Amino acid sequence: LMVNTQAVLKRAQHVQGQKTPKKQWQAAWLLKAVTCIDLTTLAGDDTPSNIHRLCLKAIQPVRYDLLKKMDMHDKGITTAAVCVYPSRVADAIKLLNAANSSLPVASVATGFPTGQTPLETRLQEVHMAVADGATEIDIVINRMLVLTGQWEALYDEICQFRQACSDAHMKTILAIGELGTFTNVYKASMVAMMAGSDFIKTSTGKEVVNATYPVAIVMMRAIRNYFLCTGHKVGFKPAGGIRTAQESLVWLTLIKEELGNDWLCPHLFRLGASSLLADIERQIYHYVTGQYAAYHELPMP
């Protein structure tokens, strides 16, 4: 199997050149994007208090008065999940329980972001995150196995992570910026899905190259082919460097065109992001008021 690079790049260029919706249609698409965000903090200086703020923002991602003016205040708009390091899962669960919210907590595990720790340690990390209450686990693959063509070993490792996740949803991060070729991305996508991934995800956000449209097209084609072969729908999550409302509209368009409307929901599409929500809220503020807000007017709680 070889991926046709030129065709992929041409398709990506076409998608980026398309017109995006305006006015109330844009506002509706942006609210859809909000419901698909995994609101994420993966910083070395994470503390219980900024996890607390992140969770509150996830529960009420757009200011209530703005939603009220759009008659969307009672539609239960939240982000899809919050995503944190394993050692911060308990903090997030505690706050969400106190706020009476059933928002899922996702945790990165398996030696994130490089996956370069012993397999036993990586598995233990998954077990601990699940034990603390994470219902979604974002694992990273061992890139070395892809780069050296050890596909069966990659399959076996991901199967073990799948088992360790138990009932939690497993999102498999391919770290596409470190896989070398589109063909490797396609093969790694297929192996990850065959090993039981609920989602495949582009990046950790820590690589030099993160979510790009050409790579996303390759991954989406793999998802589509896997669905045609098995009847099983696997989700897609771009992550890393997605910062503007405009970009979120391109991602939604790409999903709609490549995979269809079934994938346009948090069950099968997530946006991994930390700063994207601020720009979306700013655009919604502009739609409602006709003015642009300063960022300090739409702060994290």
Side-chain angles (χ1 to χ4, degrees), residues 85 108-118 122 125 139-145 157 173-175 178 204 206-207:
Y85 274 118
V108 296
T110 67
F112 180 94
T114 61
Q116 294 280 14
T117 54
R122 285 180 278 152
E125 214 178 348
I139 67 159
V140 290
I141 65 167
N142 183 343
R143 279 73 109 184
M144 183 271 290
L145 297 176
E157 273 200 9
I173 305 170
L174 303 182
E178 297 175 349
T204 64
K206 311 286 187 189
E207 292 92 43

Side-chain angles (χ1 to χ4, degrees), residues 31-179:
L31 287 179
K32 166 66 83 176
V34 168
T35 66
C36 294
I37 291 175
D38 280 353
L39 196 58
T40 303
T41 182
L42 297 168
D45 56 1
D46 283 341
T47 61
S49 64
N50 77 309
I51 300 297
H52 187 118
R53 291 211 312 280
L54 186 86
C55 290
L56 291 175
K57 189 67 182 168
I59 294 168
Q60 178 73 64
V62 180
R63 247 173 47 183
Y64 183 82
D65 59 314
L66 300 178
L67 290 176
K68 188 123 172 65
K69 290 224 172 82
M70 298 163 76
D71 200 25
M72 293 297 288
H73 57 289
D74 55 357
K75 301 291 188 290
I77 288 179
T78 67
T79 66
V82 292
C83 183
V84 296
Y85 274 118
S87 53
R88 300 270 71 89
V89 168
D91 296 331
I93 295 284
K94 188 177 168 188
L95 186 278
L96 291 168
N97 285 344
N100 210 9
S101 168
S102 57
L103 203 71
V105 174
S107 180
V108 296
T110 67
F112 180 94
T114 61
Q116 294 280 14
T117 54
L119 180 59
E120 202 177 326
T121 317
R122 285 180 278 152
L123 288 166
Q124 191 59 27
E125 214 178 348
V126 176
H127 285 299
M128 289 166 79
V130 171
D132 277 350
T135 53
E136 303 182 359
I137 303 291
D138 291 31
I139 67 159
V140 290
I141 65 167
N142 183 343
R143 279 73 109 184
M144 183 271 290
L145 297 176
V146 173
L147 295 170
T148 53
Q150 297 180 63
W151 301 106
E152 282 183 37
L154 178 66
Y155 175 81
D156 290 340
E157 273 200 9
I158 299 173
C159 282
Q160 288 184 62
F161 296 144
R162 168 75 271 171
Q163 209 170 356
C165 284
S166 188
D167 294 335
H169 276 241
M170 184 171 82
K171 307 194 201 90
T172 299
I173 305 170
L174 303 182
I176 52 85
E178 297 175 349
L179 297 188

